[in-house]
Amino acid sequence: MNVRRAYPVALVVFGMALSGCGASMDDLHRYIAEINARPPGKIEALPQIKPYETYAYPANLRDPFIPTVESTMAASGSGPRPDPNRHKEVLEDFPLDTLRLVGNLERAGEAWSLIKAPDSSVHRVRKGNYLGQNDGRIIHVTDQGIELIELIEDGQGGWIERQASLTLSDDTTEGGKK
């Protein structure tokens, strides 16, 4: 297409576009006047606020805000506590659920257990040894496993005892593969 012919066509199209921009805004002014003539809307009233009703705690029940004798004793230090002066044993560096009981043996009438740590080292333990990160003390060694007592913080400044155990499984290899 020749530039000389395109110029008049572009001028006509541009003129038509500009004529649409100069249209009257009477319809917009009419609509705004119609909206302003309408009656205002009604605002709903706020909901009624009910007064607070007090609750009378029954006199025959223990007051939940007064500490119990057990928690007072635990906070005072009269309950079980870990010994801060005791030297930690090697197996206390690992969580109890990562330790595996891989065998039992008896020597001079005393029962021992073999514990495999996550670093693949094997340790010999007996009644009185400690393992796990919760001050777990071995209280009993049997053919099937070992039983421990762990000390767990009760959240009120005291400690509680919790029983735990490790049992000898049929599968004594890593990852459950024989």
Side-chain angles (χ1 to χ4, degrees):
M1 181 184 246
N2 194 345
V3 176
R4 289 184 185 171
R5 286 187 214 166
Y7 181 73
V9 173
L11 191 59
V12 171
V13 171
F14 186 67
M16 289 173 49
L18 284 178
S19 67
C21 292
S24 169
M25 295 183 31
D26 291 339
D27 59 339
L28 178 61
H29 291 294
R30 228 183 351 264
Y31 178 72
I32 292 174
E34 179 186 324
I35 296 297
N36 288 335
R38 291 182 190 171
K42 194 171 190 180
I43 298 175
E44 293 183 28
L46 292 175
Q48 185 67 24
I49 297 175
K50 296 178 184 177
Y52 175 73
E53 296 179 24
T54 59
Y55 176 75
Y57 196 76
N60 61 342
L61 296 177
R62 183 187 70 79
D63 186 347
F65 299 104
I66 296 176
T68 63
V69 173
E70 294 86 16
S71 65
T72 306
M73 286 176 52
S76 70
S78 60
R81 290 201 156 314
D83 182 5
N85 299 323
R86 180 179 63 79
H87 290 285
K88 297 283 186 181
E89 297 183 26
V90 174
L91 292 176
E92 289 184 272
D93 290 337
F94 306 104
L96 188 62
D97 62 348
T98 63
L99 300 175
R100 296 185 24 150
L101 178 62
V102 293
N104 291 316
L105 53 102
E106 187 174 323
R107 184 175 180 189
E110 188 172 16
W112 293 78
S113 290
L114 299 174
I115 304 291
K116 187 173 187 178
D119 63 2
S120 297
S121 61
V122 177
H123 302 267
R124 185 176 60 169
V125 295
R126 62 180 176 178
K127 180 179 177 180
N129 283 120
Y130 288 82
L131 58 137
Q133 295 176 330
N134 293 321
D135 290 291
R137 182 176 41 86
I138 299 173
I139 57 170
H140 195 63
V141 176
T142 67
D143 290 341
Q144 291 80 27
I146 57 176
E147 297 173 13
L148 331 126
I149 295 288
E150 293 183 311
L151 291 176
I152 309 296
E153 289 186 79
D154 67 359
Q156 299 175 356
W159 298 82
I160 55 173
E161 290 183 339
R162 175 177 73 180
Q163 289 189 342
S165 64
L166 288 176
T167 56
L168 185 64
S169 64
D170 293 333
D171 180 14
T172 59
T173 60
E174 286 266 329
K177 299 176 185 169
K178 288 188 178 183

